[in-house]
Short mmCIF file of all heavy atoms in Angstrom, two decimals:
data_model
loop_
_atom_site.label_atom_id
_atom_site.label_comp_id
_atom_site.label_asym_id
_atom_site.label_seq_id
_atom_site.Cartn_x
_atom_site.Cartn_y
_atom_site.Cartn_z
N ARG S 26 128.94 -73.07 109.17
CA ARG S 26 128.34 -72.69 110.40
C ARG S 26 129.25 -72.87 111.62
O ARG S 26 129.24 -72.12 112.50
CB ARG S 26 127.15 -73.75 110.55
CG ARG S 26 125.89 -73.26 109.89
CD ARG S 26 124.63 -73.94 110.27
NE ARG S 26 124.77 -75.41 110.33
CZ ARG S 26 124.39 -76.21 109.29
NH1 ARG S 26 123.97 -75.71 108.11
NH2 ARG S 26 124.48 -77.53 109.45
N LEU S 27 130.12 -73.94 111.61
CA LEU S 27 130.99 -73.99 112.68
C LEU S 27 132.05 -72.91 112.68
O LEU S 27 132.31 -72.32 113.68
CB LEU S 27 131.79 -75.48 112.52
CG LEU S 27 132.55 -75.91 113.67
CD1 LEU S 27 131.63 -75.95 114.97
CD2 LEU S 27 133.10 -77.26 113.45
N LEU S 29 131.48 -69.87 111.51
CA LEU S 29 130.89 -68.67 112.01
C LEU S 29 130.81 -68.61 113.54
O LEU S 29 130.84 -67.57 114.08
CB LEU S 29 129.31 -68.67 111.47
CG LEU S 29 129.17 -68.22 110.05
CD1 LEU S 29 127.79 -68.59 109.56
CD2 LEU S 29 129.42 -66.79 109.96
N GLY S 30 130.71 -69.75 114.14
CA GLY S 30 130.71 -69.76 115.57
C GLY S 30 132.02 -69.35 116.18
O GLY S 30 132.12 -68.68 117.28
N TYR S 31 133.07 -69.59 115.53
CA TYR S 31 134.49 -69.24 115.95
C TYR S 31 134.86 -67.83 115.51
O TYR S 31 135.87 -67.32 115.98
CB TYR S 31 135.42 -70.23 115.43
CG TYR S 31 135.52 -71.47 116.27
CD1 TYR S 31 134.85 -72.66 115.70
CD2 TYR S 31 136.25 -71.57 117.40
CE1 TYR S 31 134.93 -73.87 116.44
CE2 TYR S 31 136.28 -72.74 118.11
CZ TYR S 31 135.65 -73.91 117.63
OH TYR S 31 135.65 -75.07 118.39
N LEU S 87 134.47 -65.29 121.69
CA LEU S 87 133.79 -65.70 120.46
C LEU S 87 132.48 -65.20 120.68
O LEU S 87 131.59 -65.72 121.44
CB LEU S 87 133.93 -67.22 120.42
CG LEU S 87 135.26 -67.84 120.30
CD1 LEU S 87 135.06 -69.43 120.26
CD2 LEU S 87 135.86 -67.44 119.08
N ILE S 89 128.72 -64.29 118.68
CA ILE S 89 127.87 -64.76 117.54
C ILE S 89 126.93 -63.69 117.26
O ILE S 89 126.13 -63.40 118.21
CB ILE S 89 127.30 -66.13 117.75
CG1 ILE S 89 128.36 -67.09 117.94
CG2 ILE S 89 126.38 -66.51 116.61
CD1 ILE S 89 127.97 -68.52 118.31
N TYR S 110 124.18 -67.14 123.65
CA TYR S 110 125.41 -67.17 122.91
C TYR S 110 126.39 -66.35 123.68
O TYR S 110 127.63 -66.68 123.63
CB TYR S 110 125.26 -66.75 121.42
CG TYR S 110 124.73 -67.86 120.66
CD1 TYR S 110 123.48 -67.95 120.17
CD2 TYR S 110 125.69 -68.89 120.26
CE1 TYR S 110 123.00 -69.06 119.46
CE2 TYR S 110 125.20 -70.03 119.44
CZ TYR S 110 123.92 -70.01 119.04
OH TYR S 110 123.58 -71.01 118.32
N ILE S 113 127.71 -68.82 125.91
CA ILE S 113 128.61 -69.77 125.25
C ILE S 113 129.94 -69.18 125.09
O ILE S 113 131.11 -69.86 125.22
CB ILE S 113 128.05 -70.19 123.89
CG1 ILE S 113 126.85 -71.16 124.06
CG2 ILE S 113 129.12 -70.81 122.99
CD1 ILE S 113 126.06 -71.46 122.80
N ASN S 114 130.02 -67.89 124.85
CA ASN S 114 131.35 -67.19 124.66
C ASN S 114 132.13 -67.18 125.86
O ASN S 114 133.39 -66.95 125.85
CB ASN S 114 131.07 -65.73 124.24
CG ASN S 114 130.52 -65.70 122.79
OD1 ASN S 114 130.69 -66.54 121.96
ND2 ASN S 114 129.73 -64.73 122.61
N ALA S 118 137.66 -72.96 125.33
CA ALA S 118 137.73 -73.36 123.82
C ALA S 118 137.29 -74.77 123.69
O ALA S 118 136.51 -75.00 122.74
CB ALA S 118 139.12 -73.14 123.42
N ASN S 120 135.17 -76.54 125.54
CA ASN S 120 133.69 -76.56 125.77
C ASN S 120 132.92 -75.95 124.61
O ASN S 120 131.86 -76.41 124.26
CB ASN S 120 133.37 -75.97 127.19
CG ASN S 120 133.73 -77.04 128.29
OD1 ASN S 120 134.13 -78.10 128.02
ND2 ASN S 120 133.71 -76.54 129.50
N LYS S 121 133.50 -74.92 124.13
CA LYS S 121 132.77 -74.24 122.93
C LYS S 121 132.81 -75.12 121.77
O LYS S 121 131.74 -75.24 121.08
CB LYS S 121 133.58 -72.94 122.53
CG LYS S 121 133.32 -71.78 123.47
CD LYS S 121 134.10 -70.61 122.95
CE LYS S 121 134.23 -69.60 124.03
NZ LYS S 121 135.37 -68.69 124.00
N THR S 122 133.91 -75.82 121.45
CA THR S 122 133.87 -76.87 120.40
C THR S 122 132.92 -77.86 120.62
O THR S 122 132.03 -78.23 119.72
CB THR S 122 135.28 -77.48 120.31
OG1 THR S 122 136.30 -76.41 120.09
CG2 THR S 122 135.40 -78.51 119.31
N ILE S 123 132.85 -78.38 121.91
CA ILE S 123 131.91 -79.55 122.14
C ILE S 123 130.39 -78.91 121.92
O ILE S 123 129.65 -79.69 121.38
CB ILE S 123 132.09 -79.96 123.62
CG1 ILE S 123 133.40 -80.75 123.68
CG2 ILE S 123 130.94 -80.86 124.04
CD1 ILE S 123 133.87 -80.95 125.07
N ILE S 124 130.04 -77.80 122.46
CA ILE S 124 128.64 -77.31 122.42
C ILE S 124 128.38 -76.96 120.92
O ILE S 124 127.24 -77.17 120.50
CB ILE S 124 128.33 -76.23 123.44
CG1 ILE S 124 126.88 -76.16 123.62
CG2 ILE S 124 128.93 -74.92 122.96
CD1 ILE S 124 126.19 -77.28 124.31
N PHE S 125 129.35 -76.31 120.24
CA PHE S 125 129.12 -76.09 118.78
C PHE S 125 128.74 -77.30 118.03
O PHE S 125 127.87 -77.33 117.18
CB PHE S 125 130.21 -75.34 118.20
CG PHE S 125 130.35 -73.87 118.65
CD1 PHE S 125 131.55 -73.34 118.62
CD2 PHE S 125 129.26 -73.14 118.81
CE1 PHE S 125 131.76 -71.96 118.91
CE2 PHE S 125 129.36 -71.79 119.24
CZ PHE S 125 130.67 -71.17 119.21
N LEU S 126 129.47 -78.36 118.26
CA LEU S 126 129.28 -79.72 117.62
C LEU S 126 127.95 -80.22 118.09
O LEU S 126 127.19 -80.79 117.16
CB LEU S 126 130.47 -80.59 117.87
CG LEU S 126 131.76 -80.21 117.22
CD1 LEU S 126 132.86 -81.13 117.67
CD2 LEU S 126 131.79 -80.29 115.67
N GLU S 127 127.60 -80.13 119.35
CA GLU S 127 126.39 -80.65 119.86
C GLU S 127 125.22 -79.84 119.16
O GLU S 127 124.18 -80.58 118.71
CB GLU S 127 126.30 -80.46 121.35
CG GLU S 127 124.99 -80.81 121.94
CD GLU S 127 124.67 -82.35 122.07
OE1 GLU S 127 125.60 -83.21 121.65
OE2 GLU S 127 123.66 -82.69 122.51
N LEU S 128 125.40 -78.55 118.99
CA LEU S 128 124.39 -77.77 118.33
C LEU S 128 124.20 -78.23 116.93
O LEU S 128 123.10 -77.95 116.29
CB LEU S 128 124.65 -76.25 118.48
CG LEU S 128 124.40 -75.71 119.91
CD1 LEU S 128 125.02 -74.25 119.97
CD2 LEU S 128 123.03 -75.77 120.36
N GLU S 129 125.25 -78.64 116.25
CA GLU S 129 125.21 -79.07 114.88
C GLU S 129 124.61 -80.51 114.81
O GLU S 129 124.61 -81.13 113.63
CB GLU S 129 126.58 -79.09 114.29
CG GLU S 129 127.11 -77.74 113.82
CD GLU S 129 126.34 -77.15 112.66
OE1 GLU S 129 125.98 -78.00 111.82
OE2 GLU S 129 125.98 -75.93 112.68
N GLU S 130 124.26 -81.10 115.92
CA GLU S 130 123.67 -82.43 116.04
C GLU S 130 124.73 -83.56 115.55
O GLU S 130 124.32 -84.51 115.01
CB GLU S 130 122.33 -82.49 115.20
CG GLU S 130 121.32 -81.55 115.82
CD GLU S 130 120.00 -81.57 115.04
OE1 GLU S 130 119.84 -82.37 114.07
OE2 GLU S 130 119.11 -80.97 115.59
N VAL S 131 126.01 -83.23 115.80
CA VAL S 131 126.99 -84.28 115.59
C VAL S 131 126.88 -85.31 116.67
O VAL S 131 126.66 -84.96 117.83
CB VAL S 131 128.38 -83.66 115.62
CG1 VAL S 131 129.47 -84.67 115.52
CG2 VAL S 131 128.55 -82.64 114.45
N ILE S 136 131.86 -86.58 118.41
CA ILE S 136 132.29 -85.46 119.01
C ILE S 136 133.55 -86.02 119.90
O ILE S 136 134.60 -85.40 119.99
CB ILE S 136 131.32 -84.82 120.04
CG1 ILE S 136 130.30 -84.16 119.15
CG2 ILE S 136 132.04 -83.79 120.95
CD1 ILE S 136 129.06 -83.57 120.02
#
Side-chain angles (χ1 to χ4, degrees):
R26 280 194 307 267
L27 195 53
L29 280 166
Y31 281 99
L87 299 176
I89 298 174
Y110 279 103
I113 288 173
N114 292 330
N120 286 349
K121 284 178 197 156
T122 297
I123 292 167
I124 201 65
F125 285 148
L126 292 170
E127 175 76 1
L128 290 171
E129 281 294 319
E130 298 179 356
V131 174
I136 295 172

